[in-house]
Amino acid sequence: MNREELVENIFSNKSDFEKEVLNVLKEKDKSEIMHILAYSIVRDTLKEHLNFLHIKSLSDFTLKPVVNILFKEIANEWISYAMDLLDYSKEEALEILQNAHRVKLLHTLADDYFKHYKGYIYEEIADTFIDLLASMNQASDKVLLVNAVINSDLIANRSVLGINSFNQLYRRIIAAKNLKNIEVSALQIKLSDILIELDCNSTSAQRREILMSILPQYEEKNKKMSQMKLETFDASLQRVKRAILNALKNNSYKL
């Protein structure tokens, strides 16, 4: 089969394109791709529109460019594939895409990926709001943005949630930080105690064996605790994040 025939086969349907170009063999592969793309789209590519750490005004917040970005990502995957495996130049790879059927196929893929995995994007967006709160103090110039979010449809039933202002959220984020620090410190002290005892010449062989068996467990606990999101430590923050996720999932916030 020559290159031209292979290209025709690749672009004959979505599954063939996914298998050959995106290396998608099962549903889990799609999920992993979108998990990675969601992070890069929210945290980098569209950070001025989706990442609350970078959004200047709530009016800038929009999901409208996401499908086009997914299309570009898929197109870039094709270009890399064509150049690396089929020995096409970049210009030739782009030329192959100048075909209505092929463009439509890539747009359909982008739409499908967004439709089925947009939850990953929503999760990243909500995480950036918590990250913003964690990065702020009461004199921050982002207080207006936070209050705008609180008073928007992104946080429905805010009175029921007991969240009506930045100051209330600020108190919750400080409490969550303190609780997490206490938990992390306790684990680090335990780890330090284990390591000190292991390093002690007077520690018996039997005790040393016990310590060596529990050391990996505490190292793993410490790692997991350090990586735990702040809302894990405060019910109010959990409710705020859930409200944002629900607003996005239910399309109750008009973008």
Side-chain angles (χ1 to χ4, degrees), residues 17-24 33 73-74 77 109 113:
F17 184 93
E18 286 180 299
K19 181 179 178 180
E20 280 295 326
V21 178
L22 303 179
N23 199 29
V24 167
I33 287 172
E73 292 286 350
I74 295 169
E77 288 298 318
L109 272 175
Y113 275 54

Side-chain angles (χ1 to χ4, degrees), residues 35-212:
H35 200 254
I36 293 168
L37 284 178
Y39 186 89
S40 66
I41 288 170
V42 173
R43 301 281 178 170
D44 183 27
T45 315
L46 292 176
K47 61 186 179 184
E48 289 85 4
H49 296 294
L50 299 177
N51 186 334
F52 282 104
L53 287 161
H54 295 272
I55 292 170
K56 291 182 172 62
S57 168
L58 189 55
S59 60
D60 296 328
F61 181 64
T62 177
L63 281 158
K64 289 177 182 176
V66 171
V67 174
N68 281 337
I69 293 298
L70 289 175
F71 173 86
K72 288 178 182 177
E73 292 286 350
I74 295 169
N76 285 336
E77 288 298 318
W78 157 251
I79 292 167
S80 297
Y81 175 91
M83 292 172 65
D84 295 343
L85 298 179
L86 301 182
D87 202 29
Y88 281 114
S89 67
K90 184 175 182 179
E91 291 72 22
E92 289 170 330
L94 283 167
E95 180 67 27
I96 288 169
L97 286 181
Q98 306 306 307
N99 172 293
H101 166 75
R102 293 167 185 167
V103 170
K104 184 178 179 182
L105 184 143
L106 265 60
H107 270 299
T108 301
L109 272 175
D111 285 332
D112 285 351
Y113 275 54
F114 180 68
K115 179 180 178 182
H116 292 103
Y117 300 101
K118 56 190 174 186
Y120 290 135
I121 293 173
Y122 297 162
E123 182 82 18
E124 283 296 332
I125 291 169
D127 281 346
T128 68
F129 185 68
I130 303 297
D131 292 344
L132 171 63
L133 294 172
S135 72
M136 294 172 65
N137 58 48
Q138 289 174 306
S140 172
D141 59 2
K142 288 291 190 83
V143 171
L144 287 176
L145 174 61
V146 172
N147 280 326
V149 172
I150 291 171
N151 290 290
S152 74
D153 289 335
L154 276 172
I155 300 182
N157 301 317
R158 48 195 168 275
S159 296
V160 176
L161 296 177
I163 300 296
N164 295 295
S165 70
F166 164 75
N167 286 336
Q168 287 174 305
L169 276 183
Y170 184 69
R171 287 195 292 271
R172 301 323 311 158
I173 207 79
I174 293 299
K177 279 183 176 181
N178 290 339
L179 184 55
K180 181 175 181 178
N181 287 339
I182 290 169
E183 297 281 355
V184 170
S185 294
L187 278 171
Q188 288 176 341
I189 289 170
K190 182 62 179 178
L191 264 173
S192 178
D193 289 344
I194 291 171
L195 292 171
I196 289 170
E197 197 173 349
L198 279 170
D199 198 44
C200 182
N201 292 332
S202 62
T203 303
S204 68
Q206 184 180 9
R207 177 62 177 165
R208 196 177 298 278
E209 186 177 340
I210 293 171
L211 291 170
M212 287 300 293

